[in-house]
Amino acid sequence: MSQRRKIYEGKAKVLFEGPEPGTLVQYFKDDATAFNNVKKGTIAGKGVLNNRISEYLMMRLTEAGIPTHFIRRLNMREQLVREVEIVPVEVVVRNIAAGSICKRFNIEEGTPLPRSIVEYYYKNDELGDPLISEEHITAFGWATPPEIDDMLSMSLRINDFLSGLFLGIGLKLIDFKLEYGRLFDENEQVRLVLADEISPDGCRLWDVATNEKMDKDRFRRDLGGVEEAYQEVARRLGILPESEPQDVKGPTTIQ
Ligand code: UDP
């Protein structure tokens, strides 16, 4: 790990130069932050689980026709990804009210939304990731109108796919955050692909039967059982950190 050139260190991951041009290695840490870095801690084993969970979900999304930056998992904490230019917009999809939308509109947590709602946030830690509109995105040049169309349609397809996948393992996908990147091919053609990660760090997942929170809200709200919740998500997806990729059994349907 130490000889490789570090490209970027974020809150939960480190990016290193990859083995071939146009690739990066994404290293998953156990560090966790919440409330725009005000709360910091570690969740033992989180990096290993998120590496596996994100690998699994990215692979399933690829099969479903969603282009992603994911190439392959390298080891317990690392995956090889394509180098992309990250669009500085966080796309949040919400199905049930939780978190910031409850405060903003005085909605009780757990209220189903009239339809899935897509929101955009400007990816800027200093500003605390403010909520933005399409107007801000195009006026400030963060993404073009066709890129916004792509992010919107891909995010809704991802929501449909993941909602079904999680429901099959007894979890409700309450909301989640996505990031996209620009991938440049040999002819300098550019297309948007799903980037970053999909894991319980950036999703809200509630148990269908008990509404128990199975995501980073356990850390944010000091609910305890954080490691166990991430492990349970991995277990229900049929992923065990010890097993090799060919051993992945896939989700087990809950009756
Ligand atoms: N989220 C995230 N990173 C952020 C902000 C939000 O991954 O910087 C995820 C969060 O885990 C949740 C969804 O996006 O699944 C919506 O978050 P919300 O706007 O409710 O903010 P929060 O309550 O997390 O501050």
Side-chain angles (χ1 to χ4, degrees), residues 1 4 11-16 24-32 42-55 70 72-81 197 201 227 241-244:
M1 210 176 114
R4 284 180 306 189
K11 286 167 270 184
K13 294 190 293 293
V14 189
L15 287 178
F16 294 99
L24 296 176
V25 173
Q26 205 167 238
Y27 176 94
F28 287 74
K29 301 191 280 187
D30 285 347
D31 297 352
T42 57
I43 303 172
K46 171 173 82 79
V48 175
L49 291 165
N50 281 357
N51 188 22
R52 295 302 301 252
I53 293 170
S54 197
E55 170 198 24
F70 180 81
R72 70 187 142 85
R73 189 170 62 81
L74 297 171
N75 54 49
M76 296 280 273
R77 285 188 184 268
E78 294 178 334
Q79 51 182 241
L80 187 66
V81 299
E197 70 181 289
D201 270 9
E227 289 91 352
E242 302 78 31
S243 59
E244 287 307 308

Side-chain angles (χ1 to χ4, degrees), residues 16-245:
F16 294 99
E17 202 169 51
E20 296 140 39
T23 65
L24 296 176
V25 173
Q26 205 167 238
Y27 176 94
F28 287 74
K29 301 191 280 187
D30 285 347
D31 297 352
T33 61
F35 312 119
N36 199 31
N37 263 331
V38 173
K39 185 179 165 93
K40 289 186 182 153
T42 57
I43 303 172
K46 171 173 82 79
V48 175
L49 291 165
N50 281 357
N51 188 22
R52 295 302 301 252
I53 293 170
S54 197
E55 170 198 24
Y56 180 75
L57 296 176
M58 290 278 183
M59 279 170 31
R60 295 297 310 269
L61 286 168
T62 303
E63 287 162 19
I66 304 286
T68 82
H69 74 155
F70 180 81
I71 302 174
R72 70 187 142 85
R73 189 170 62 81
L74 297 171
N75 54 49
M76 296 280 273
R77 285 188 184 268
E78 294 178 334
Q79 51 182 241
L80 187 66
V81 299
R82 286 186 209 290
E83 185 172 20
V84 296
E85 182 184 279
I86 291 287
V87 175
V89 172
E90 298 191 345
V91 182
V92 167
V93 185
R94 301 181 184 274
N95 299 308
I96 291 175
S100 65
I101 198 171
C102 294
K103 260 195 226 148
R104 189 172 307 119
F105 301 118
N106 192 24
I107 308 175
E108 197 186 336
E109 185 182 73
T111 309
L113 296 168
R115 61 174 171 80
S116 300
I117 296 177
V118 178
E119 295 174 341
Y120 304 109
Y121 293 83
Y122 180 39
K123 193 173 151 62
N124 185 313
D125 282 340
E126 269 172 54
L127 300 175
D129 296 348
L131 179 70
I132 51 174
S133 72
E134 293 189 14
E135 278 287 284
H136 299 112
I137 300 176
T138 51
F140 292 119
W142 296 324
T144 63
E147 285 177 332
I148 298 176
D149 288 350
D150 282 355
M151 290 195 288
L152 178 63
S153 63
M154 276 199 262
S155 301
L156 289 171
R157 282 168 64 203
I158 293 167
N159 183 45
D160 283 347
F161 184 83
L162 292 184
S163 293
L165 186 147
F166 281 119
L167 205 56
I169 55 170
L171 293 171
K172 279 190 272 190
L173 182 58
I174 305 300
D175 58 31
F176 60 100
K177 186 262 297 179
L178 299 171
E179 290 185 29
Y180 291 91
R182 296 184 185 96
L183 186 65
F184 297 87
D185 68 18
E186 312 82 55
N187 312 316
E188 284 300 295
Q189 296 276 56
V190 56
R191 69 182 171 119
L192 275 194
V193 300
L194 181 64
D196 193 45
E197 70 181 289
I198 307 183
S199 72
D201 270 9
C203 297
R204 286 195 170 92
L205 296 164
W206 294 0
D207 183 84
V208 168
T210 64
N211 273 342
E212 199 185 343
K213 298 183 196 320
M214 309 286 286
D215 52 55
K216 209 171 89 176
D217 270 350
R218 300 204 75 83
F219 169 77
R220 291 189 188 98
R221 301 188 187 185
D222 292 321
L223 297 175
V226 191
E227 289 91 352
E228 291 79 3
Y230 280 66
Q231 269 166 25
E232 177 62 11
V233 172
R235 192 191 65 76
R236 290 196 196 181
L237 284 170
I239 300 163
L240 292 170
E242 302 78 31
S243 59
E244 287 307 308

